[in-house]
Amino acid sequence: MLTSQIHDKQVLLFYSHIISMLVAALVILVSIFILYVYYDRQEHLPGPWSLPIIGYLHKLDPVAPNLTLTKLAQKYGPIFGIKLGLVNIAVISEAKLLKKVLLKDETLGRPPLFMLHEMFGGKGLTYSPVSLWKDQRKFTANFLKSAGITKFSPARKELEDLMTNYAEDFVDHVSTQGNRVTLDPSEALVHYVCSIAGTLLLGKLFSWDDEGRRNLIHNLDTILHEAKLGGALNYLPFLRFLPKYRESLVAFRETMDKVRKNLAVYINECQKTFSNDDSSTNFIEAFLLQRSRGGPPEIYNVDQLIYLVFDVFLGSTETTISLLKWIILYLAQYQDVQDKVRQEFVEVLQGKTLEMSDVPKLSYTQAVLSEVSRIRTLVPLGFPHYASEDIHVDDIKIRKGTTIMPLLWAIHMDPKVWDQPEDFRPERFLDEENKFAPSESFIPFQCGKRMCVGDEFARMMIYIFVAGLVKNFRVEPCGSIPVDFSGVCGLSLVPKAQKVVFVNI
Ligand code: HEM
């Protein structure tokens, strides 16, 4: 009897211990949660509540994160705070505010997002730390200037001719297939745009079947798709230890390796023929020349060159090709717009070939191309920056260590700025006299000191290709199949594969 009472007491004691431990654990967990939420919101920006660890990731639409974030921007205003995984983000959706923020030296850097670091390696230009960026940005901008992207550059005509020749080759490629050709223009655009970039950056003339070029582009496409800004690995890098993520990371690293090896081949070829005679004919040679003139070896080395060429080749091809595809789709869908663009080219050019100095006279065309870039913002989530110190703009404080997301999609779709933003209306870019009047809220290349270094290069390619296109073809949708404007949102917004009809005129 006595032993059974003692046993009961012991059991009771044991359970009461367990219960108090469970209660203590619960109290600790709840306190951590409250502290987490409190700390996270203290002095911080307005924004949605998020869960510990994963933050708001579970609610981000993996296919269209730009739309989820734009809805939040409409609710919380021009700047809001959000936690994606372990990363604190300030999302900015007003151009004026974004310009003020990105003009500050403290926002020049890039955030430590896992997949973007995997991709850019902290070298090159696009994702380089500020110390390296300063030199490489200047070097790249100077190269592009000397290659002819500025109005008064002596090489301007040469660059226009190079682009015009490849745009004509594109036209020939399509028109020799018949008077009425139904095709997806992607492959041809990839070839001719890459040929321009290949000539200028790699000193390489690609043939149509060039295997190196085909592999390079295939691998770049894969990388851009996998490194998407909404992807969970960027914000929860420890997920890479789970089989599903580990496999895709291994595949990503292998693809990046192939791209670097691919680029190293072009660099090797240039090194063999480079004569160090104070002149250069392409980007790789310009880099080698800078090295031979005493550029610091910790910057001017082959490893850095591979990453730099990767950044500029990627920048100059993928976005420009996607924009050209979007333009073709919109011209196909809006036949009246296409007619007006063609008519304007005829009136302004009077049979001659387009030069960039003609562009200011092409008000309607400028409006159309801007409207396509607005309604299908090429880099929908913008490219992230990082607050290396606390920064203060107007009455707003952005804490040190915050990732800054310039939500270009929301900026270009803000109903307070753009009347009925979902409608394709080129006229919104024209003033009362039908002159092109760009809005300050139109920033497809972002803004500030680190804005796109290739904006003018892209503009040149776009105008020259569109001039060739509308002069030679009427583009139409493919039978009764409606044009698909939905796109695939990776780092950039890429149109879905689809055919259109090219009718020779
Ligand atoms: C329609 C075409 C293009 C669009 C929409 C576009 C858009 C952008 C955007 C939004 C950024 C981020 C800027 C920032 O971080 O603040 C960027 C950066 C960059 N772009 Fe472009 N881009 C285009 C074409 C090009 C071309 C043709 C080149 C090369 C000649 C290029 C090279 C780069 C590079 C190297 C950067 C990184 C700049 C830096 O970190 O200093 N892009 N681009």
Side-chain angles (χ1 to χ4, degrees), residues 14 17 21 23-24 27 33 45 52 58 89 111 147 164 222 252 278 292 303 322 339 345 388 391 422 448 481 488 492:
F14 173 74
H17 265 119
M21 273 162 68
V23 170
V27 168
F33 182 70
L45 307 163
H58 60 301
I89 301 181
T164 306
T222 314
F252 183 83
D278 238 33
S292 69
D303 198 30
S322 293
D339 285 340
F345 271 114
S388 59
I391 54 169
E422 300 289 342
I481 307 166
V488 181
S492 59

PDB file of all heavy atoms in Angstrom, residues 14 17 21 23-24 27 33 45 52 58 89 111 147 164 222 252 278 292 303 322 339 345 388 391 422 448 481 488 492:
ATOM      1  N   PHE A  14       6.638  13.274 -11.762  1.00  0.00           N
ATOM      2  CA  PHE A  14       7.247  13.188 -13.094  1.00  0.00           C
ATOM      3  C   PHE A  14       6.417  13.979 -14.125  1.00  0.00           C
ATOM      4  O   PHE A  14       6.918  14.805 -14.883  1.00  0.00           O
ATOM      5  CB  PHE A  14       7.337  11.708 -13.499  1.00  0.00           C
ATOM      6  CG  PHE A  14       7.799  11.512 -14.909  1.00  0.00           C
ATOM      7  CD1 PHE A  14       9.143  11.714 -15.243  1.00  0.00           C
ATOM      8  CD2 PHE A  14       6.900  11.154 -15.910  1.00  0.00           C
ATOM      9  CE1 PHE A  14       9.569  11.542 -16.543  1.00  0.00           C
ATOM     10  CE2 PHE A  14       7.329  10.987 -17.211  1.00  0.00           C
ATOM     11  CZ  PHE A  14       8.665  11.179 -17.531  1.00  0.00           C
ATOM     12  N   HIS A  17       6.559  17.650 -13.682  1.00  0.00           N
ATOM     13  CA  HIS A  17       7.808  18.192 -14.254  1.00  0.00           C
ATOM     14  C   HIS A  17       7.692  18.393 -15.745  1.00  0.00           C
ATOM     15  O   HIS A  17       8.061  19.431 -16.302  1.00  0.00           O
ATOM     16  CB  HIS A  17       8.960  17.194 -13.984  1.00  0.00           C
ATOM     17  CG  HIS A  17       9.717  17.534 -12.746  1.00  0.00           C
ATOM     18  ND1 HIS A  17       9.805  16.685 -11.667  1.00  0.00           N
ATOM     19  CD2 HIS A  17      10.398  18.647 -12.398  1.00  0.00           C
ATOM     20  CE1 HIS A  17      10.508  17.254 -10.707  1.00  0.00           C
ATOM     21  NE2 HIS A  17      10.881  18.454 -11.127  1.00  0.00           N
ATOM     22  N   MET A  21       7.842  21.818 -17.766  1.00  0.00           N
ATOM     23  CA  MET A  21       8.844  22.043 -18.822  1.00  0.00           C
ATOM     24  C   MET A  21       8.170  22.468 -20.131  1.00  0.00           C
ATOM     25  O   MET A  21       8.616  23.367 -20.831  1.00  0.00           O
ATOM     26  CB  MET A  21       9.682  20.776 -19.052  1.00  0.00           C
ATOM     27  CG  MET A  21      10.877  20.721 -18.106  1.00  0.00           C
ATOM     28  SD  MET A  21      11.543  19.067 -17.990  1.00  0.00           S
ATOM     29  CE  MET A  21      12.215  18.827 -19.581  1.00  0.00           C
ATOM     30  N   VAL A  23       5.259  23.950 -20.375  1.00  0.00           N
ATOM     31  CA  VAL A  23       4.753  25.329 -20.217  1.00  0.00           C
ATOM     32  C   VAL A  23       5.907  26.314 -20.381  1.00  0.00           C
ATOM     33  O   VAL A  23       5.797  27.321 -21.093  1.00  0.00           O
ATOM     34  CB  VAL A  23       4.064  25.509 -18.841  1.00  0.00           C
ATOM     35  CG1 VAL A  23       3.770  26.973 -18.572  1.00  0.00           C
ATOM     36  CG2 VAL A  23       2.775  24.696 -18.788  1.00  0.00           C
ATOM     37  N   ALA A  24       7.059  25.978 -19.748  1.00  0.00           N
ATOM     38  CA  ALA A  24       8.224  26.892 -19.860  1.00  0.00           C
ATOM     39  C   ALA A  24       8.630  27.041 -21.316  1.00  0.00           C
ATOM     40  O   ALA A  24       8.884  28.155 -21.802  1.00  0.00           O
ATOM     41  CB  ALA A  24       9.379  26.345 -19.027  1.00  0.00           C
ATOM     42  N   VAL A  27       6.215  29.241 -23.054  1.00  0.00           N
ATOM     43  CA  VAL A  27       6.408  30.652 -22.689  1.00  0.00           C
ATOM     44  C   VAL A  27       7.609  31.219 -23.450  1.00  0.00           C
ATOM     45  O   VAL A  27       7.556  32.324 -24.013  1.00  0.00           O
ATOM     46  CB  VAL A  27       6.597  30.803 -21.162  1.00  0.00           C
ATOM     47  CG1 VAL A  27       7.087  32.205 -20.807  1.00  0.00           C
ATOM     48  CG2 VAL A  27       5.303  30.482 -20.440  1.00  0.00           C
ATOM     49  N   PHE A  33       8.621  34.815 -30.117  1.00  0.00           N
ATOM     50  CA  PHE A  33       7.766  35.275 -31.212  1.00  0.00           C
ATOM     51  C   PHE A  33       7.413  36.755 -31.020  1.00  0.00           C
ATOM     52  O   PHE A  33       7.531  37.562 -31.937  1.00  0.00           O
ATOM     53  CB  PHE A  33       6.502  34.422 -31.271  1.00  0.00           C
ATOM     54  CG  PHE A  33       5.590  34.811 -32.393  1.00  0.00           C
ATOM     55  CD1 PHE A  33       5.951  34.555 -33.709  1.00  0.00           C
ATOM     56  CD2 PHE A  33       4.377  35.449 -32.147  1.00  0.00           C
ATOM     57  CE1 PHE A  33       5.133  34.923 -34.760  1.00  0.00           C
ATOM     58  CE2 PHE A  33       3.557  35.824 -33.196  1.00  0.00           C
ATOM     59  CZ  PHE A  33       3.928  35.553 -34.497  1.00  0.00           C
ATOM     60  N   LEU A  45       9.204  50.226 -41.098  1.00  0.00           N
ATOM     61  CA  LEU A  45       8.274  50.762 -42.075  1.00  0.00           C
ATOM     62  C   LEU A  45       6.930  50.055 -41.959  1.00  0.00           C
ATOM     63  O   LEU A  45       6.864  48.953 -41.428  1.00  0.00           O
ATOM     64  CB  LEU A  45       8.884  50.504 -43.451  1.00  0.00           C
ATOM     65  CG  LEU A  45      10.308  51.022 -43.607  1.00  0.00           C
ATOM     66  CD1 LEU A  45      11.000  50.382 -44.801  1.00  0.00           C
ATOM     67  CD2 LEU A  45      10.288  52.540 -43.757  1.00  0.00           C
ATOM     68  N   PRO A  52       7.768  34.012 -38.210  1.00  0.00           N
ATOM     69  CA  PRO A  52       9.197  33.841 -37.919  1.00  0.00           C
ATOM     70  C   PRO A  52       9.813  32.933 -38.972  1.00  0.00           C
ATOM     71  O   PRO A  52       9.124  32.110 -39.570  1.00  0.00           O
ATOM     72  CB  PRO A  52       9.205  33.151 -36.547  1.00  0.00           C
ATOM     73  CG  PRO A  52       7.842  33.316 -36.001  1.00  0.00           C
ATOM     74  CD  PRO A  52       6.917  33.509 -37.137  1.00  0.00           C
ATOM     75  N   HIS A  58       5.789  32.604 -47.852  1.00  0.00           N
ATOM     76  CA  HIS A  58       4.702  31.667 -48.178  1.00  0.00           C
ATOM     77  C   HIS A  58       3.581  32.334 -48.949  1.00  0.00           C
ATOM     78  O   HIS A  58       2.772  31.681 -49.577  1.00  0.00           O
ATOM     79  CB  HIS A  58       4.170  31.029 -46.890  1.00  0.00           C
ATOM     80  CG  HIS A  58       3.612  32.037 -45.918  1.00  0.00           C
ATOM     81  ND1 HIS A  58       4.352  33.071 -45.405  1.00  0.00           N
ATOM     82  CD2 HIS A  58       2.368  32.169 -45.385  1.00  0.00           C
ATOM     83  CE1 HIS A  58       3.607  33.791 -44.592  1.00  0.00           C
ATOM     84  NE2 HIS A  58       2.400  33.269 -44.560  1.00  0.00           N
ATOM     85  N   ILE A  89      13.479  43.723 -46.048  1.00  0.00           N
ATOM     86  CA  ILE A  89      13.446  44.416 -47.342  1.00  0.00           C
ATOM     87  C   ILE A  89      12.588  45.665 -47.245  1.00  0.00           C
ATOM     88  O   ILE A  89      11.506  45.655 -46.652  1.00  0.00           O
ATOM     89  CB  ILE A  89      12.869  43.481 -48.430  1.00  0.00           C
ATOM     90  CG1 ILE A  89      13.735  42.221 -48.524  1.00  0.00           C
ATOM     91  CG2 ILE A  89      12.802  44.180 -49.787  1.00  0.00           C
ATOM     92  CD1 ILE A  89      13.312  41.237 -49.552  1.00  0.00           C
ATOM     93  N   PRO A 111      22.837  43.589 -51.841  1.00  0.00           N
ATOM     94  CA  PRO A 111      22.594  42.791 -50.624  1.00  0.00           C
ATOM     95  C   PRO A 111      23.137  41.371 -50.745  1.00  0.00           C
ATOM     96  O   PRO A 111      23.314  40.868 -51.866  1.00  0.00           O
ATOM     97  CB  PRO A 111      21.061  42.756 -50.548  1.00  0.00           C
ATOM     98  CG  PRO A 111      20.619  42.901 -51.965  1.00  0.00           C
ATOM     99  CD  PRO A 111      21.647  43.742 -52.666  1.00  0.00           C
ATOM    100  N   ALA A 147      33.045  52.893 -77.836  1.00  0.00           N
ATOM    101  CA  ALA A 147      32.482  52.026 -78.882  1.00  0.00           C
ATOM    102  C   ALA A 147      31.372  52.724 -79.659  1.00  0.00           C
ATOM    103  O   ALA A 147      30.906  52.219 -80.665  1.00  0.00           O
ATOM    104  CB  ALA A 147      31.932  50.756 -78.243  1.00  0.00           C
ATOM    105  N   THR A 164      22.979  47.984 -87.798  1.00  0.00           N
ATOM    106  CA  THR A 164      22.123  47.981 -88.987  1.00  0.00           C
ATOM    107  C   THR A 164      22.377  46.725 -89.822  1.00  0.00           C
ATOM    108  O   THR A 164      21.434  46.084 -90.308  1.00  0.00           O
ATOM    109  CB  THR A 164      22.391  49.246 -89.837  1.00  0.00           C
ATOM    110  OG1 THR A 164      22.235  50.374 -88.989  1.00  0.00           O
ATOM    111  CG2 THR A 164      21.417  49.359 -91.006  1.00  0.00           C
ATOM    112  N   THR A 222      19.020  29.423 -68.647  1.00  0.00           N
ATOM    113  CA  THR A 222      18.783  28.581 -67.463  1.00  0.00           C
ATOM    114  C   THR A 222      19.120  29.355 -66.197  1.00  0.00           C
ATOM    115  O   THR A 222      18.366  29.353 -65.211  1.00  0.00           O
ATOM    116  CB  THR A 222      19.690  27.322 -67.518  1.00  0.00           C
ATOM    117  OG1 THR A 222      19.619  26.788 -68.822  1.00  0.00           O
ATOM    118  CG2 THR A 222      19.300  26.292 -66.492  1.00  0.00           C
ATOM    119  N   PHE A 252      22.694  24.362 -60.898  1.00  0.00           N
ATOM    120  CA  PHE A 252      22.953  25.781 -61.170  1.00  0.00           C
ATOM    121  C   PHE A 252      24.459  26.047 -61.215  1.00  0.00           C
ATOM    122  O   PHE A 252      24.971  26.712 -62.120  1.00  0.00           O
ATOM    123  CB  PHE A 252      22.295  26.616 -60.062  1.00  0.00           C
ATOM    124  CG  PHE A 252      22.423  28.102 -60.265  1.00  0.00           C
ATOM    125  CD1 PHE A 252      21.549  28.776 -61.093  1.00  0.00           C
ATOM    126  CD2 PHE A 252      23.418  28.830 -59.617  1.00  0.00           C
ATOM    127  CE1 PHE A 252      21.660  30.146 -61.292  1.00  0.00           C
ATOM    128  CE2 PHE A 252      23.535  30.200 -59.802  1.00  0.00           C
ATOM    129  CZ  PHE A 252      22.651  30.857 -60.629  1.00  0.00           C
ATOM    130  N   ASP A 278      48.632  49.549 -78.045  1.00  0.00           N
ATOM    131  CA  ASP A 278      47.897  50.737 -77.641  1.00  0.00           C
ATOM    132  C   ASP A 278      46.526  50.888 -78.302  1.00  0.00           C
ATOM    133  O   ASP A 278      45.965  51.977 -78.336  1.00  0.00           O
ATOM    134  CB  ASP A 278      48.728  51.995 -77.919  1.00  0.00           C
ATOM    135  CG  ASP A 278      48.912  52.749 -76.605  1.00  0.00           C
ATOM    136  OD1 ASP A 278      49.000  52.066 -75.563  1.00  0.00           O
ATOM    137  OD2 ASP A 278      48.950  53.993 -76.640  1.00  0.00           O
ATOM    138  N   SER A 292      47.778  46.002 -69.173  1.00  0.00           N
ATOM    139  CA  SER A 292      49.174  46.232 -69.578  1.00  0.00           C
ATOM    140  C   SER A 292      49.606  47.673 -69.300  1.00  0.00           C
ATOM    141  O   SER A 292      50.779  47.978 -69.229  1.00  0.00           O
ATOM    142  CB  SER A 292      49.361  45.904 -71.064  1.00  0.00           C
ATOM    143  OG  SER A 292      48.671  46.861 -71.828  1.00  0.00           O
ATOM    144  N   ASP A 303      40.322  36.162 -63.898  1.00  0.00           N
ATOM    145  CA  ASP A 303      39.117  35.757 -63.172  1.00  0.00           C
ATOM    146  C   ASP A 303      38.072  36.884 -63.201  1.00  0.00           C
ATOM    147  O   ASP A 303      36.900  36.673 -63.529  1.00  0.00           O
ATOM    148  CB  ASP A 303      39.520  35.424 -61.735  1.00  0.00           C
ATOM    149  CG  ASP A 303      38.456  34.598 -61.046  1.00  0.00           C
ATOM    150  OD1 ASP A 303      37.770  33.840 -61.757  1.00  0.00           O
ATOM    151  OD2 ASP A 303      38.290  34.732 -59.822  1.00  0.00           O
ATOM    152  N   SER A 322      14.459  40.157 -75.066  1.00  0.00           N
ATOM    153  CA  SER A 322      13.089  40.078 -74.521  1.00  0.00           C
ATOM    154  C   SER A 322      12.290  41.313 -74.908  1.00  0.00           C
ATOM    155  O   SER A 322      11.121  41.214 -75.278  1.00  0.00           O
ATOM    156  CB  SER A 322      13.114  39.966 -73.000  1.00  0.00           C
ATOM    157  OG  SER A 322      13.660  38.744 -72.628  1.00  0.00           O
ATOM    158  N   ASP A 339       0.754  50.483 -87.930  1.00  0.00           N
ATOM    159  CA  ASP A 339       0.630  51.318 -89.144  1.00  0.00           C
ATOM    160  C   ASP A 339       1.205  52.708 -88.904  1.00  0.00           C
ATOM    161  O   ASP A 339       1.917  53.259 -89.733  1.00  0.00           O
ATOM    162  CB  ASP A 339      -0.853  51.469 -89.530  1.00  0.00           C
ATOM    163  CG  ASP A 339      -1.375  50.197 -90.166  1.00  0.00           C
ATOM    164  OD1 ASP A 339      -0.549  49.393 -90.637  1.00  0.00           O
ATOM    165  OD2 ASP A 339      -2.609  50.004 -90.152  1.00  0.00           O
ATOM    166  N   PHE A 345       8.118  56.287 -89.682  1.00  0.00           N
ATOM    167  CA  PHE A 345       9.455  55.977 -90.223  1.00  0.00           C
ATOM    168  C   PHE A 345       9.556  56.428 -91.683  1.00  0.00           C
ATOM    169  O   PHE A 345      10.554  57.021 -92.087  1.00  0.00           O
ATOM    170  CB  PHE A 345       9.742  54.469 -90.120  1.00  0.00           C
ATOM    171  CG  PHE A 345      10.377  54.068 -88.805  1.00  0.00           C
ATOM    172  CD1 PHE A 345       9.715  53.263 -87.893  1.00  0.00           C
ATOM    173  CD2 PHE A 345      11.662  54.504 -88.482  1.00  0.00           C
ATOM    174  CE1 PHE A 345      10.305  52.896 -86.683  1.00  0.00           C
ATOM    175  CE2 PHE A 345      12.267  54.128 -87.276  1.00  0.00           C
ATOM    176  CZ  PHE A 345      11.579  53.334 -86.387  1.00  0.00           C
ATOM    177  N   SER A 388      24.043  50.273 -46.506  1.00  0.00           N
ATOM    178  CA  SER A 388      25.226  49.918 -45.707  1.00  0.00           C
ATOM    179  C   SER A 388      25.273  50.717 -44.400  1.00  0.00           C
ATOM    180  O   SER A 388      26.065  50.435 -43.517  1.00  0.00           O
ATOM    181  CB  SER A 388      26.503  50.161 -46.512  1.00  0.00           C
ATOM    182  OG  SER A 388      26.569  51.505 -46.883  1.00  0.00           O
ATOM    183  N   ILE A 391      19.804  55.108 -43.313  1.00  0.00           N
ATOM    184  CA  ILE A 391      19.657  56.294 -44.180  1.00  0.00           C
ATOM    185  C   ILE A 391      18.320  56.985 -43.911  1.00  0.00           C
ATOM    186  O   ILE A 391      17.335  56.339 -43.532  1.00  0.00           O
ATOM    187  CB  ILE A 391      19.819  55.964 -45.678  1.00  0.00           C
ATOM    188  CG1 ILE A 391      18.875  54.854 -46.099  1.00  0.00           C
ATOM    189  CG2 ILE A 391      21.221  55.636 -46.063  1.00  0.00           C
ATOM    190  CD1 ILE A 391      18.836  54.696 -47.599  1.00  0.00           C
ATOM    191  N   GLU A 422      -3.316  49.348 -66.950  1.00  0.00           N
ATOM    192  CA  GLU A 422      -3.351  48.040 -67.628  1.00  0.00           C
ATOM    193  C   GLU A 422      -3.571  48.176 -69.128  1.00  0.00           C
ATOM    194  O   GLU A 422      -3.388  47.229 -69.882  1.00  0.00           O
ATOM    195  CB  GLU A 422      -4.482  47.162 -67.053  1.00  0.00           C
ATOM    196  CG  GLU A 422      -4.379  46.855 -65.564  1.00  0.00           C
ATOM    197  CD  GLU A 422      -3.250  45.896 -65.239  1.00  0.00           C
ATOM    198  OE1 GLU A 422      -2.782  45.218 -66.163  1.00  0.00           O
ATOM    199  OE2 GLU A 422      -2.826  45.858 -64.071  1.00  0.00           O
ATOM    200  N   GLY A 448      19.759  56.484 -60.384  1.00  0.00           N
ATOM    201  CA  GLY A 448      20.865  56.637 -59.436  1.00  0.00           C
ATOM    202  C   GLY A 448      22.195  56.296 -60.082  1.00  0.00           C
ATOM    203  O   GLY A 448      22.282  56.033 -61.282  1.00  0.00           O
ATOM    204  N   ILE A 481      -5.164  32.437 -82.683  1.00  0.00           N
ATOM    205  CA  ILE A 481      -4.559  32.277 -81.353  1.00  0.00           C
ATOM    206  C   ILE A 481      -4.237  33.666 -80.785  1.00  0.00           C
ATOM    207  O   ILE A 481      -3.490  34.431 -81.414  1.00  0.00           O
ATOM    208  CB  ILE A 481      -3.247  31.450 -81.431  1.00  0.00           C
ATOM    209  CG1 ILE A 481      -3.513  30.126 -82.150  1.00  0.00           C
ATOM    210  CG2 ILE A 481      -2.637  31.225 -80.060  1.00  0.00           C
ATOM    211  CD1 ILE A 481      -2.251  29.401 -82.576  1.00  0.00           C
ATOM    212  N   VAL A 488       7.084  35.200 -68.336  1.00  0.00           N
ATOM    213  CA  VAL A 488       7.639  34.374 -67.267  1.00  0.00           C
ATOM    214  C   VAL A 488       8.592  35.256 -66.458  1.00  0.00           C
ATOM    215  O   VAL A 488       9.514  35.857 -67.007  1.00  0.00           O
ATOM    216  CB  VAL A 488       8.436  33.175 -67.847  1.00  0.00           C
ATOM    217  CG1 VAL A 488       8.992  32.301 -66.736  1.00  0.00           C
ATOM    218  CG2 VAL A 488       7.562  32.360 -68.790  1.00  0.00           C
ATOM    219  N   SER A 492      14.347  38.672 -65.176  1.00  0.00           N
ATOM    220  CA  SER A 492      13.659  39.591 -66.078  1.00  0.00           C
ATOM    221  C   SER A 492      12.349  38.957 -66.543  1.00  0.00           C
ATOM    222  O   SER A 492      12.119  37.765 -66.322  1.00  0.00           O
ATOM    223  CB  SER A 492      14.553  39.929 -67.271  1.00  0.00           C
ATOM    224  OG  SER A 492      14.891  38.755 -67.965  1.00  0.00           O
TER     225      SER A 492
END
